[in-house]
Amino acid sequence: YRRKHAWELPTSITALAAMNSVQSPLILTASSDKSIHVLDANCGRILRSIPQAHEKAITCLAVSQPSPHAPLPRDAHQVFLSMAPDNVVCLWDLRQATAVLRYTQHVHRREVLHGNLSPCMKYFGTGSEDRTGRLFDMVAGKECAVLTGHRDVVTCVAFNPLFAQIATASYDGTVRFYADADCPLYISGAS
């Protein structure tokens, strides 16, 4: 390997995300100055900077990770989410200058928590310091599930790329797995 590009950002990088499962030149970075930068790996430019995206330094960026079992239109890959310990998850669309959705029903004040977008791009999940995982329906615009059972902070939520299944991980040293065929998350046509 040889270096193709290098970007000089004004502050330290606190989060990084890229779409590895589709051919995309975009790399997302979050900086300690609370900004998000969209980098183009083809031409080596910063395409967009979003200053003051959160009130505190961003700790998580999540991009869509498409599944062959949930085909999406190309423009679905323009959406990403960011999280910071300011009790806010922001959903962004690269074609707009401001967040398209702000979610505040979880608890995120101190710990590093991670969120994820579902392969069908209808939901996102996030951990929470109140020992729950949270599932948000982006189409209906409301929280649709609170995943309970952990004894400590839920740090991560991950989606199965094929079925309506969600995993949560916690500081209590456990991973919990949730599955329900009747769940609205079920991807129709999956075999």
Side-chain angles (χ1 to χ4, degrees):
Y1 292 100
R2 64 180 178 84
R3 184 175 75 188
K4 187 170 179 179
H5 300 292
W7 294 272
E8 294 287 333
L9 298 175
T11 58
S12 60
I13 305 298
T14 59
L16 177 77
M19 279 180 264
N20 295 324
S21 55
V22 294
Q23 191 171 13
S24 172
L26 300 182
I27 300 169
L28 301 172
T29 64
S31 300
S32 58
D33 66 356
K34 308 168 200 156
S35 62
I36 297 172
H37 305 283
V38 181
L39 313 175
D40 186 328
N42 281 345
C43 64
R45 293 184 317 132
I46 297 175
L47 296 179
R48 171 177 278 175
S49 291
I50 304 168
Q52 298 298 314
H54 283 267
E55 291 178 13
K56 294 189 177 179
I58 298 161
T59 58
C60 173
L61 292 171
V63 295
S64 64
Q65 296 298 338
S67 165
H69 307 289
L72 297 171
R74 186 88 179 135
D75 64 348
H77 304 300
Q78 301 289 327
V79 176
F80 68 97
L81 67 82
S82 63
M83 295 175 63
D86 58 0
N87 283 327
V88 178
V89 175
C90 289
L91 188 68
W92 303 89
D93 187 322
L94 289 173
R95 298 163 292 192
Q96 297 183 22
T98 60
V100 295
L101 183 135
R102 293 174 58 83
Y103 172 76
T104 60
Q105 293 174 293
H106 70 310
V107 179
H108 188 185
R109 294 185 199 114
R110 186 185 65 208
E111 305 297 333
V112 175
L113 304 181
H114 296 278
N116 246 316
L117 295 162
S118 69
C120 64
M121 292 297 291
K122 294 179 183 171
Y123 305 91
F124 72 77
T126 180
S128 181
E129 292 176 14
D130 65 359
R131 302 184 310 262
T132 63
R134 303 296 180 111
L135 184 64
F136 186 84
D137 183 328
M138 295 188 295
V139 177
K142 64 181 182 175
E143 186 175 79
C144 61
V146 178
L147 309 170
T148 61
H150 287 288
R151 295 181 313 274
D152 206 340
V153 173
V154 174
T155 57
C156 299
V157 174
F159 292 91
N160 183 317
L162 182 57
F163 297 109
Q165 299 169 336
I166 303 168
T168 58
S170 171
Y171 282 161
D172 66 12
T174 63
V175 173
R176 293 192 177 270
F177 189 75
Y178 303 85
D180 186 353
D182 295 328
C183 176
L185 186 62
Y186 183 72
I187 301 169
S188 60
S191 54

